[in-house]
């Protein structure tokens, strides 16, 4: 049995989307994004007190990149995954883990805009720098998707994969802080992958971390 420990609108959404795409049986345990994740019982699942945590066949995993690799190798090695020796294996690994490059900047902005309640705690410089870094990540995805290769509808030439899930979920989060207005290929790709039913199933069913769709740099200019 697979059990996913999840907080809405966090990196664990990446694993939730993947599980829905894999169509394997699993249970989900949802937590508030608060000190619950620092309790000893949760730290026994994820020692840094972060989601996702995954229980599978009596073993425990954390870190989305590792979870993605393991689930794909076990359930969809040449479908959502790419097997060793596949022409797209190297690119698959790069883009699965590039999701964390983007997510770290989103996490910094989430802290600035959401977790810090008092204005004096916030840094306009950090907000602007991290938003610019998100846009740089969008530049990298745009360059990949706009390469003139036939059938480049997805990050891999060979088609949709867990790389699109990982980066797509990171873009879902990052769009709270930077728009895709200057990245038309990313916008078209994002619309294509988020039209999938598995993505809809991974969206928050109630409240999440974010109380608004977009957070402009603070203070407003």
């Amino acid at each position: 049995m697979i059990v996913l420990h999840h907080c809405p609108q966090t990196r664990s959404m990446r694993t939730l989307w993947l599980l829905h795409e894999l169509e394997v049986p699993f249970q989900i345990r949802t937590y508030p994004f608060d000190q619950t994740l620092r309790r000893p019982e949760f730290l026994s699942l994820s020692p840094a007190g972060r989601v996702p945590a995954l229980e599978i066949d009596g073993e425990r995993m954390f870190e989305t990149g590792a979870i993605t690799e393991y689930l794909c190798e076990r359930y969809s090695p040449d479908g959502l995954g790419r097997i060793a020796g596949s022409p797209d294996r190297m690119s698959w690994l790069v883009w699965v883990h590039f999701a964390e490059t983007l997510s770290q900047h989103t996490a910094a902005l989430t802290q600035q805009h959401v977790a810090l309640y008092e204005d004096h705690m916030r840094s306009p410089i950090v907000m602007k720098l991290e938003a610019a870094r998100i846009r740089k990540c969008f530049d990298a995805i745009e360059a990949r998707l706009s390469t003139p290769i036939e059938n480049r509808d997805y990050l891999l030439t060979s088609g949709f994969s867990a790389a699109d899930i990982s980066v797509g979920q990171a873009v879902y989060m990052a769009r709270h802080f930077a728009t895709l207005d200057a990245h038309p290929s990313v916008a078209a790709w994002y619309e294509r992958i988020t039209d999938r039913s598995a993505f809809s199933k991974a969206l928050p069913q109630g409240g999440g971390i974010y109380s608004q769709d977009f957070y402009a740099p603070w203070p407003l200019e």
Side-chain angles (χ1 to χ4, degrees), residues 4 13 41 90-91 107 109 124 136 152 156 161 169 191 206:
L4 172 65
M13 179 186 169
E41 56 268 31
M90 184 184 295
S91 294
L109 284 167
K136 285 292 185 182
R152 181 54 64 78
L156 304 185
S161 74
Q169 188 276 335
E191 183 176 357

Side-chain angles (χ1 to χ4, degrees), residues 46-86:
S46 179
R50 301 174 69 179
V51 288
L54 193 78
E55 296 181 82
I56 182 165
D57 296 341
E59 300 292 338
R60 298 168 177 181
M61 294 190 72
F62 50 94
E63 295 298 328
T64 55
I67 290 170
T68 295
E69 286 194 51
Y70 180 82
L71 290 176
C72 286
E73 288 171 3
R74 178 163 177 172
Y75 295 108
S76 187
D78 205 22
L80 294 175
R82 295 295 184 271
I83 60 174
S86 164

Side-chain angles (χ1 to χ4, degrees), residues 99-113:
E100 275 303 297
T101 299
L102 176 52
S103 292
Q104 67 177 333
H105 303 307
T106 301
L109 284 167
T110 300
Q111 181 186 61
Q112 289 288 320
H113 286 277

